[in-house]
Amino acid sequence: MNKDIKNYACPYCGEKCRSADELKEHVFQAHKGRGLPAPEGSIKLTVNKAEYVIRVAPNWTLYYLIHDKLGLTGTKQFCDQGACGSCTMIVDGKPVLSCMLLAIECGGKVIETVEGIAADGHPLIEAYVNNHAMQCGYCTPGFVVTSKALLDRHPDPTEEEIVEALAGNLCRCSTYPQHPIAVREAAGKMKAAKK
Amino acid sequence: MKEFKHFNAYSIEEAVSLLGRYGERACIIAGGTDLLGKMKDAILPAYPEALVNIKTIPGLSYIKEDGGMLKIGALTVLSEIAHSEVVRSHWPALAQAACRTASPHIRDMGTIAGNLCQDIRCWYYRNQNNRFSCLRKKGGRCYAIKGDNRYHSIFGGSVSGGCLAVHPSDTAPALIALDAKIKTSGRTLDARDFFEVKPVKTTVLKADEIVTEIQVPEPAAGTTSAFLKFALRKSIDFPIVNCAAMITLKGDRVAAARICLNAVSVVPYRAAAAEQVVMGKSLDEAVAEEAGKAAVSEAKPLEHNKYMVAIARTLVKRSILACVGR
Ligand SMILES: Cc1cc2nc3c(=O)[nH]c(=O)nc-3n(C[C@H](O)[C@H](O)[C@H](O)COP(=O)(O)OP(=O)(O)OC[C@H]3O[C@@H](n4cnc5c(N)ncnc54)[C@H](O)[C@@H]3O)c2cc1C
Ligand code: SF4
């Protein structure tokens, strides 16, 4: 890559130019109106209210960045194929699969993980413990994060809405019946706290 | 994942120019829910050298009605389509298809264009590290013909008669039944002409062509549509068979019908014979049943997938009845 830059490679698209003037002309033609490019692979993102500026490789997933590099190990990866919901994080308000998102595409995003939800003292954590909505516990962070995103959108969801929202989370211990109970309990506590 | 270069494109022209430079060695990434799975498992003989991220192109995510026509930007995620009041009321088959795709998380990430351009799910093709170098990868043979073909085509194959992998999209049959058009960076195609069976390809798109918009015409007066899906699980599961129908009634007679099955053939399968059965008739259980039978009259099931014929027949029948509220 560095070698390319010496050859007047375009910092936006890598197009090779023969001279600085040619490069200038190319950038003006092909990418006009764009700000200066960030140093290669560097992104700024907010994780649990803390801001990070960090260099990432193109082949890092968001999960790898947050779990392995930032050391927030609460999020668990299971299938690594987008099929189980275990690695769910909230990105810009939506519960999404962090194994299916490239870290390099998360510049400017606001991310919430299960650690952030716990640090805020969210009633979901206690409700999950009280109702023992887990057995081995590996999938639990994914469920809690998905439920938190649901409560942000719908502070008082029906059982049906909860089941629908959690339809992307798998639990091999089959704790499914406990989740709507826990989420309803947390919703009830949030409502009581507001009054 | 192996290493690759990553480019954020900020306009359609920029993406096209990047793709033009890399040719077959680059891939577009939208939601990434299909592409990253393929790259993690390194299923293909060649690994992409570069990814061109199109999520950074502004103004490609929208649902709007324009003179009766529905226009959906290529980057619109499936959950937005599923929840859109406009789509649900005028083009219910599309809303229902989006709503039944994958899981809530994937519907929040996966785009409509990615859903149409997604790759096949044949388990030989998708096996890790290109373990089965089959016809669809320019290899010598199809492993499904003599192997386990319970989820393969019931209407024969292609790539010179070989590949039997079904097209897995849920939204594709809905868009074909609704007579949609697909606008790309270079042309506008009928949805029914969009799919093609070639080695490592599922669409007619050129290497530097990008889907930009989906256009669905205004339904004629008296038109209703419906989508049904049969899968093994209610959620996070590909269709075993799905079916979309659009029916226009004049009085109580059928004046127009478009019925499309998917996951039963190498490309979405227009059930023309079923359409002919219902034309001019008033719809009841018996007519719908007959249409279902006609839809699978040309089925050539393989050793392990005869059950799919019965499901296809039933889904055609039920989707026709669903159009008239039964
Ligand atoms: C667990 C799981 C379950 C699933 N279940 C279903 C299901 O039930 N039904 C179903 O239909 N699908 C299913 N999918 C498949 C698919 O991932 C999603 O449907 C999704 O819509 C794909 O969109 P994307 O934006 O993530 O695509 P990407 O992965 O970003 O792209 C998919 C392909 O399309 C190309 N592409 C993307 N956008 C464009 C564009 N604008 N122009 C040209 N080419 C483009 C890419 O290059 C890539 O080859 C499932 C996937 C997973 C992982
Ligand atoms: S069905 Fe197609 S993709 Fe599957 S093994 Fe045969 S040739 Fe390959």
Side-chain angles (χ1 to χ4, degrees):
Chain A
M1 224 29 197
N2 283 336
K3 199 178 101 247
D4 285 352
I5 290 168
K6 278 188 212 133
N7 291 332
Y8 300 103
C10 168
Y12 295 106
C13 70
E15 170 99 20
K16 288 194 188 73
C17 301
R18 275 164 311 200
S19 68
D21 284 343
E22 198 179 297
L23 173 62
K24 229 196 253 167
E25 184 62 23
H26 160 79
V27 169
F28 186 73
Q29 289 299 332
H31 315 286
K32 59 175 172 245
R34 299 241 326 248
L36 284 176
E40 202 194 324
S42 156
I43 58 163
K44 193 155 118 188
L45 77 175
T46 308
V47 183
N48 298 331
K49 299 182 186 138
E51 263 201 17
Y52 295 82
V53 178
I54 187 164
R55 276 177 73 93
V56 297
N59 60 351
W60 291 5
T61 60
L62 180 64
Y63 171 81
Y64 180 76
L65 168 66
I66 288 188
H67 183 276
D68 290 43
K69 294 291 171 182
L70 300 186
L72 296 172
T73 56
T75 309
K76 304 290 183 233
Q77 178 166 291
F78 178 52
C79 77
D80 198 15
Q81 285 287 332
C84 76
S86 176
C87 66
T88 306
M89 292 178 191
I90 301 178
V91 177
D92 286 349
K94 283 183 180 177
V96 295
L97 306 167
S98 62
C99 77
M100 281 288 175
L101 207 52
L102 294 178
I104 201 165
E105 294 177 1
C106 291
K109 303 254 187 257
V110 177
I111 291 154
E112 237 180 305
T113 70
V114 72
E115 284 92 346
I117 295 167
D120 284 349
H122 197 286
L124 265 172
I125 306 285
E126 212 183 284
Y128 261 71
V129 174
N130 286 347
N131 294 287
H132 199 62
M134 69 207 72
Q135 216 178 102
C136 79
Y138 195 80
C139 69
T140 318
F143 273 95
V144 171
V145 172
T146 309
S147 301
K148 154 75 165 58
L150 170 68
L151 290 176
D152 286 349
R153 261 179 303 141
H154 268 298
D156 193 16
T158 62
E159 174 163 353
E160 209 183 5
E161 284 165 340
I162 298 167
V163 170
E164 175 54 36
L166 292 175
N169 292 78
L170 286 186
C171 167
R172 297 212 69 177
C173 312
S174 282
T175 55
Y176 298 111
Q178 293 308 103
H179 294 273
I181 301 173
V183 177
R184 295 280 308 150
E185 186 178 305
K189 280 204 182 130
M190 285 163 62
K191 216 163 145 190
K194 256 195 189 159
K195 273 183 192 157
Chain B
M1 276 183 284
K2 294 182 197 164
E3 283 179 15
F4 51 83
K5 287 189 187 173
H6 184 277
F7 301 112
N8 288 326
Y10 289 84
S11 68
I12 293 166
E13 297 76 45
E14 193 179 357
V16 167
S17 122
L18 280 163
L19 290 165
R21 214 142 44 74
Y22 278 90
E24 306 287 342
R25 293 172 295 130
C27 285
I28 297 170
I29 178 164
T33 59
D34 179 49
L35 183 69
L36 293 184
K38 278 166 63 181
M39 290 173 59
K40 287 176 182 196
D41 282 350
I43 66 166
L44 297 179
Y47 207 79
E49 247 174 66
L51 294 191
V52 177
N53 177 23
I54 58 171
K55 287 192 291 297
T56 34
I57 302 178
L60 273 188
S61 168
Y62 53 83
I63 298 177
K64 60 185 179 204
E65 245 184 310
D66 189 354
M69 184 189 267
L70 174 68
K71 293 187 171 170
I72 302 179
L75 289 177
T76 311
V77 293
L78 296 169
S79 60
E80 270 159 40
I81 298 170
H83 294 136
S84 154
E85 262 324 304
V86 175
V87 183
R88 283 160 65 137
S89 54
H90 298 296
W91 295 273
L94 178 58
Q96 288 156 9
C99 184
R100 286 298 314 275
T101 302
S103 71
H105 302 75
I106 291 175
R107 293 196 289 275
D108 267 342
M109 307 172 76
T111 62
I112 180 80
N115 191 269
L116 294 173
C117 301
Q118 66 177 296
D119 208 348
I120 50 170
R121 289 271 160 181
C122 167
W123 47 25
Y124 297 103
Y125 183 84
R126 287 259 173 180
N127 215 285
Q128 293 180 356
N129 303 318
N130 187 24
R131 173 133 174 255
F132 297 97
S133 170
C134 67
L135 270 181
R136 199 74 184 252
K137 301 176 183 178
K138 299 199 179 117
R141 68 187 187 101
C142 167
Y143 293 86
I145 290 179
K146 290 203 173 144
D148 189 331
N149 47 40
R150 73 182 93 163
Y151 303 133
H152 286 77
S153 169
I154 54 171
F155 288 104
S158 196
V159 179
S160 342
C163 180
L164 295 163
V166 297
H167 195 281
S169 167
D170 277 317
T171 63
L175 289 173
I176 292 175
L178 296 170
D179 201 14
K181 289 201 168 20
I182 295 169
K183 197 169 155 222
T184 75
S185 45
R187 52 187 162 159
T188 303
L189 291 151
D190 275 328
R192 61 171 183 275
D193 301 328
F194 184 71
F195 302 95
E196 185 178 46
V197 190
K198 283 234 179 106
V200 294
K201 261 186 81 148
T202 55
T203 69
V204 298
L205 291 181
K206 293 190 220 104
D208 63 349
E209 198 173 2
I210 301 174
V211 174
T212 55
E213 188 178 78
I214 316 294
Q215 305 174 336
V216 196
E218 183 176 16
T223 300
T224 48
S225 66
F227 169 90
L228 293 173
K229 167 171 173 176
F230 182 92
L232 297 183
R233 297 188 298 196
K234 272 197 207 148
S235 181
I236 337 183
D237 210 359
F238 284 93
I240 299 289
V241 179
N242 62 22
C243 181
M246 176 172 83
I247 299 224
T248 308
L249 294 177
K250 264 214 179 96
D252 72 337
R253 306 268 153 185
V254 175
R258 291 172 67 91
I259 301 168
C260 188
L261 288 155
N262 202 15
V264 293
S265 183
V266 289
V267 292
Y269 185 83
R270 183 90 181 267
E275 293 169 6
Q276 269 174 9
V277 168
V278 296
M279 275 304 279
K281 303 223 173 81
S282 100
L283 292 175
D284 58 19
E285 184 97 16
V287 172
E289 175 90 38
E290 201 191 322
K293 277 192 194 138
V296 294
S297 56
E298 287 181 9
K300 301 184 279 274
L302 307 161
E303 191 182 349
H304 306 117
N305 67 7
K306 294 190 183 62
Y307 73 100
M308 282 170 61
V309 179
I311 298 171
R313 188 177 65 217
T314 308
L315 284 193
V316 168
K317 172 184 162 186
R318 290 189 188 163
S319 58
I320 291 170
L321 291 174
C323 282
V324 289
R326 268 189 261 173

